Every structure is written in C-alpha cells, then in structure tokens.
Amino acid sequence: MQWYKQAQAAEQVGDWDTAISLVSARAECFSADYSAHDNHLWHMDLLVRAERFDQLTELAVSDVHACRRLNRALYERGMETELRNRAGDGDRGALYHLVRWLHGAGRPQEACRAVELLAPEDEYAHHILAGLRTPTSEAR
C-alpha cells in the first residue's frame, strides 16, 4: 500500500500528475474488486480537483462516473455555458444540473425555457421544475 500513501501525499500538496498517475493505474470502473472501483471514483475526483475537464469530458463519453462527476463539478462551479452545451448534446444529467443552477441563480424562467427547448418531454426535468416551485421555496 505504499502507492496509496504516495497518492495521498501527492494529493495533499496538489501534485496532480503524480496522484492521478498512481490512482488511475489501480482504478477500474464497475470492477468486482471494490478497491479498484473506489480508486476509479477517486480518480474522477482527482481529475476534477486538478480541473482537467477536457480529460473528464473524453472519459464521460463512455464512463457514467466521469459524466456524473463532470456535471456535478460544472454545477458547483457555476459553469452555465458548459452545462448548457452538454445538455444541448443530449446529456440529461447536465440538463438537470442546469435547471437547478438557473433556478438557484434566481432565473426560474430560464430554467423552464431550458427544459422546453432541450427536453420538453423529459418527465424528470419537469418533476425538478415542479419541486423548485413549491410554496416553501417561493417563501424563501
């Protein structure tokens, strides 16, 4: 487990190349080996912390964890344009984050327009909008 301690130390000092290299070598998506799967999730998190969105975007084409982590990172950083682009390309997770972000930014009409424009028949997107319109949220 020497590699693990080295990866943690590299992560703590922001040596992303070393940390990513050590962790990705032992990472496997949907592995039966829970350690390999945990390392995969750690790898995705390291890519976000290193702000390697291009790498995550490439991985997100075929890796659900990369896709989810990328969309969450874009949401957390308020990267509206990137979320909108991903949603426009058919990424429903990006759409859901975009809707929440727009509503949280005080732009609920834009959130509604995004759903109507990008996925008018997506029931879950409408469910999110309905949940954001509750009397409790309007009273805040």
Side-chain angles (χ1 to χ4, degrees), residues 113-140:
R113 275 195 300 270
V115 172
E116 289 307 317
L117 177 67
L118 300 171
E121 299 194 16
D122 186 312
E123 290 182 29
Y124 187 65
H126 287 283
H127 175 77
I128 292 170
L129 287 172
L132 295 173
R133 291 188 202 121
T134 62
T136 304
S137 66
E138 291 174 4
R140 289 184 193 166

Short mmCIF file of all heavy atoms in Angstrom, two decimals, residues 113-140:
data_model
loop_
_atom_site.label_atom_id
_atom_site.label_comp_id
_atom_site.label_asym_id
_atom_site.label_seq_id
_atom_site.Cartn_x
_atom_site.Cartn_y
_atom_site.Cartn_z
N ARG A 113 -37.46 27.55 -19.64
CA ARG A 113 -37.17 27.62 -21.08
C ARG A 113 -36.16 26.57 -21.50
O ARG A 113 -36.28 25.99 -22.58
CB ARG A 113 -36.65 29.01 -21.45
CG ARG A 113 -37.76 30.01 -21.71
CD ARG A 113 -37.25 31.25 -22.42
NE ARG A 113 -36.24 31.98 -21.66
CZ ARG A 113 -36.49 32.95 -20.79
NH1 ARG A 113 -37.73 33.31 -20.56
NH2 ARG A 113 -35.52 33.55 -20.16
N ALA A 114 -35.17 26.31 -20.65
CA ALA A 114 -34.16 25.29 -20.97
C ALA A 114 -34.82 23.93 -21.14
O ALA A 114 -34.51 23.20 -22.09
CB ALA A 114 -33.08 25.25 -19.90
N VAL A 115 -35.73 23.60 -20.24
CA VAL A 115 -36.42 22.31 -20.35
C VAL A 115 -37.28 22.29 -21.61
O VAL A 115 -37.25 21.31 -22.36
CB VAL A 115 -37.28 22.04 -19.09
CG1 VAL A 115 -38.16 20.81 -19.29
CG2 VAL A 115 -36.37 21.85 -17.87
N GLU A 116 -38.02 23.35 -21.84
CA GLU A 116 -38.89 23.38 -23.02
C GLU A 116 -38.09 23.30 -24.32
O GLU A 116 -38.52 22.67 -25.27
CB GLU A 116 -39.78 24.63 -23.01
CG GLU A 116 -40.85 24.59 -21.95
CD GLU A 116 -41.72 23.33 -22.00
OE1 GLU A 116 -42.11 22.90 -23.10
OE2 GLU A 116 -41.99 22.76 -20.92
N LEU A 117 -36.94 23.92 -24.34
CA LEU A 117 -36.12 23.92 -25.55
C LEU A 117 -35.35 22.61 -25.74
O LEU A 117 -35.30 22.07 -26.84
CB LEU A 117 -35.12 25.08 -25.49
CG LEU A 117 -34.13 25.20 -26.65
CD1 LEU A 117 -34.88 25.56 -27.93
CD2 LEU A 117 -33.07 26.23 -26.34
N LEU A 118 -34.76 22.10 -24.65
CA LEU A 118 -33.84 20.97 -24.76
C LEU A 118 -34.48 19.61 -24.56
O LEU A 118 -34.00 18.62 -25.12
CB LEU A 118 -32.69 21.14 -23.76
CG LEU A 118 -31.84 22.40 -23.95
CD1 LEU A 118 -30.88 22.57 -22.78
CD2 LEU A 118 -31.08 22.33 -25.26
N ALA A 119 -35.53 19.55 -23.75
CA ALA A 119 -36.13 18.23 -23.46
C ALA A 119 -37.57 18.40 -23.00
O ALA A 119 -37.90 18.09 -21.86
CB ALA A 119 -35.30 17.51 -22.40
N PRO A 120 -38.44 18.88 -23.88
CA PRO A 120 -39.81 19.19 -23.46
C PRO A 120 -40.61 17.99 -22.96
O PRO A 120 -41.57 18.16 -22.22
CB PRO A 120 -40.45 19.78 -24.73
CG PRO A 120 -39.60 19.30 -25.86
CD PRO A 120 -38.21 19.14 -25.29
N GLU A 121 -40.20 16.79 -23.32
CA GLU A 121 -40.95 15.61 -22.89
C GLU A 121 -40.26 14.83 -21.77
O GLU A 121 -40.71 13.75 -21.42
CB GLU A 121 -41.22 14.72 -24.10
CG GLU A 121 -42.03 15.48 -25.13
CD GLU A 121 -42.63 14.61 -26.20
OE1 GLU A 121 -42.69 13.37 -26.01
OE2 GLU A 121 -43.07 15.17 -27.19
N ASP A 122 -39.21 15.40 -21.22
CA ASP A 122 -38.48 14.75 -20.14
C ASP A 122 -39.24 14.93 -18.84
O ASP A 122 -39.26 16.02 -18.26
CB ASP A 122 -37.06 15.33 -20.04
CG ASP A 122 -36.19 14.60 -19.05
OD1 ASP A 122 -36.64 14.35 -17.91
OD2 ASP A 122 -35.05 14.27 -19.40
N GLU A 123 -39.87 13.87 -18.38
CA GLU A 123 -40.70 13.93 -17.18
C GLU A 123 -39.90 14.31 -15.94
O GLU A 123 -40.39 15.05 -15.08
CB GLU A 123 -41.41 12.60 -16.95
CG GLU A 123 -42.49 12.32 -17.97
CD GLU A 123 -43.21 11.01 -17.70
OE1 GLU A 123 -43.31 10.60 -16.53
OE2 GLU A 123 -43.69 10.42 -18.68
N TYR A 124 -38.67 13.80 -15.83
CA TYR A 124 -37.88 14.11 -14.65
C TYR A 124 -37.50 15.60 -14.61
O TYR A 124 -37.53 16.21 -13.54
CB TYR A 124 -36.63 13.24 -14.57
CG TYR A 124 -35.89 13.41 -13.27
CD1 TYR A 124 -36.47 13.04 -12.06
CD2 TYR A 124 -34.63 13.99 -13.23
CE1 TYR A 124 -35.82 13.22 -10.86
CE2 TYR A 124 -33.97 14.18 -12.03
CZ TYR A 124 -34.57 13.79 -10.85
OH TYR A 124 -33.92 13.99 -9.66
N ALA A 125 -37.19 16.18 -15.75
CA ALA A 125 -36.88 17.61 -15.79
C ALA A 125 -38.09 18.42 -15.32
O ALA A 125 -37.94 19.38 -14.55
CB ALA A 125 -36.46 18.03 -17.19
N HIS A 126 -39.28 18.02 -15.74
CA HIS A 126 -40.49 18.70 -15.29
C HIS A 126 -40.73 18.46 -13.80
O HIS A 126 -41.21 19.36 -13.09
CB HIS A 126 -41.70 18.26 -16.12
CG HIS A 126 -41.68 18.85 -17.49
ND1 HIS A 126 -42.02 20.15 -17.77
CD2 HIS A 126 -41.32 18.30 -18.69
CE1 HIS A 126 -41.89 20.39 -19.07
NE2 HIS A 126 -41.46 19.28 -19.65
N HIS A 127 -40.40 17.28 -13.34
CA HIS A 127 -40.51 16.97 -11.91
C HIS A 127 -39.58 17.89 -11.10
O HIS A 127 -39.98 18.40 -10.05
CB HIS A 127 -40.16 15.50 -11.67
CG HIS A 127 -40.13 15.11 -10.24
ND1 HIS A 127 -41.27 14.89 -9.51
CD2 HIS A 127 -39.09 14.90 -9.40
CE1 HIS A 127 -40.94 14.56 -8.27
NE2 HIS A 127 -39.62 14.56 -8.18
N ILE A 128 -38.37 18.12 -11.58
CA ILE A 128 -37.43 19.02 -10.90
C ILE A 128 -38.02 20.43 -10.86
O ILE A 128 -38.02 21.08 -9.81
CB ILE A 128 -36.05 19.03 -11.60
CG1 ILE A 128 -35.36 17.68 -11.43
CG2 ILE A 128 -35.16 20.15 -11.04
CD1 ILE A 128 -34.11 17.52 -12.28
N LEU A 129 -38.52 20.89 -11.99
CA LEU A 129 -39.12 22.23 -12.04
C LEU A 129 -40.28 22.35 -11.05
O LEU A 129 -40.38 23.34 -10.33
CB LEU A 129 -39.62 22.55 -13.45
CG LEU A 129 -38.57 22.85 -14.50
CD1 LEU A 129 -39.21 22.95 -15.87
CD2 LEU A 129 -37.80 24.11 -14.15
N ALA A 130 -41.13 21.34 -11.01
CA ALA A 130 -42.27 21.37 -10.09
C ALA A 130 -41.80 21.41 -8.64
O ALA A 130 -42.35 22.14 -7.82
CB ALA A 130 -43.18 20.16 -10.33
N GLY A 131 -40.77 20.67 -8.33
CA GLY A 131 -40.22 20.67 -6.98
C GLY A 131 -39.60 22.00 -6.59
O GLY A 131 -39.61 22.41 -5.44
N LEU A 132 -39.07 22.70 -7.58
CA LEU A 132 -38.46 24.00 -7.31
C LEU A 132 -39.52 25.09 -7.11
O LEU A 132 -39.22 26.14 -6.56
CB LEU A 132 -37.53 24.39 -8.47
CG LEU A 132 -36.31 23.50 -8.65
CD1 LEU A 132 -35.55 23.88 -9.92
CD2 LEU A 132 -35.39 23.57 -7.44
N ARG A 133 -40.73 24.82 -7.55
CA ARG A 133 -41.82 25.80 -7.44
C ARG A 133 -42.68 25.60 -6.19
O ARG A 133 -43.74 26.19 -6.10
CB ARG A 133 -42.73 25.69 -8.66
CG ARG A 133 -42.11 26.16 -9.92
CD ARG A 133 -43.18 26.18 -11.01
NE ARG A 133 -42.57 26.12 -12.29
CZ ARG A 133 -42.79 25.20 -13.20
NH1 ARG A 133 -43.63 24.23 -12.98
NH2 ARG A 133 -42.16 25.22 -14.35
N THR A 134 -42.25 24.79 -5.26
CA THR A 134 -43.08 24.52 -4.08
C THR A 134 -43.29 25.80 -3.28
O THR A 134 -42.44 26.71 -3.31
CB THR A 134 -42.42 23.46 -3.17
OG1 THR A 134 -41.18 23.99 -2.72
CG2 THR A 134 -42.24 22.15 -3.87
N PRO A 135 -44.41 25.93 -2.55
CA PRO A 135 -44.65 27.12 -1.74
C PRO A 135 -43.52 27.41 -0.76
O PRO A 135 -43.20 28.55 -0.50
CB PRO A 135 -45.95 26.79 -1.00
CG PRO A 135 -46.62 25.76 -1.84
CD PRO A 135 -45.50 24.98 -2.50
N THR A 136 -42.87 26.36 -0.24
CA THR A 136 -41.78 26.55 0.70
C THR A 136 -40.63 27.28 0.03
O THR A 136 -40.06 28.21 0.60
CB THR A 136 -41.28 25.18 1.24
OG1 THR A 136 -42.39 24.51 1.80
CG2 THR A 136 -40.20 25.36 2.27
N SER A 137 -40.28 26.88 -1.20
CA SER A 137 -39.16 27.52 -1.87
C SER A 137 -39.51 28.94 -2.31
O SER A 137 -38.65 29.80 -2.35
CB SER A 137 -38.70 26.70 -3.09
OG SER A 137 -39.69 26.67 -4.08
N GLU A 138 -40.80 29.23 -2.60
CA GLU A 138 -41.18 30.56 -3.01
C GLU A 138 -41.21 31.53 -1.84
O GLU A 138 -41.03 32.72 -2.00
CB GLU A 138 -42.55 30.52 -3.69
CG GLU A 138 -42.50 29.81 -5.04
CD GLU A 138 -43.86 29.62 -5.65
OE1 GLU A 138 -44.86 30.10 -5.09
OE2 GLU A 138 -43.93 28.97 -6.70
N ALA A 139 -41.42 31.01 -0.62
CA ALA A 139 -41.46 31.86 0.56
C ALA A 139 -40.09 32.31 1.02
O ALA A 139 -39.96 33.21 1.80
CB ALA A 139 -42.18 31.12 1.69
N ARG A 140 -39.05 31.66 0.52
CA ARG A 140 -37.69 31.98 0.98
C ARG A 140 -37.21 33.27 0.45
O ARG A 140 -37.18 33.86 -0.42
CB ARG A 140 -36.72 30.88 0.57
CG ARG A 140 -36.95 29.64 1.37
CD ARG A 140 -35.93 28.59 1.02
NE ARG A 140 -36.38 27.34 1.59
CZ ARG A 140 -35.87 26.18 1.27
NH1 ARG A 140 -34.93 26.09 0.41
NH2 ARG A 140 -36.31 25.09 1.83
#
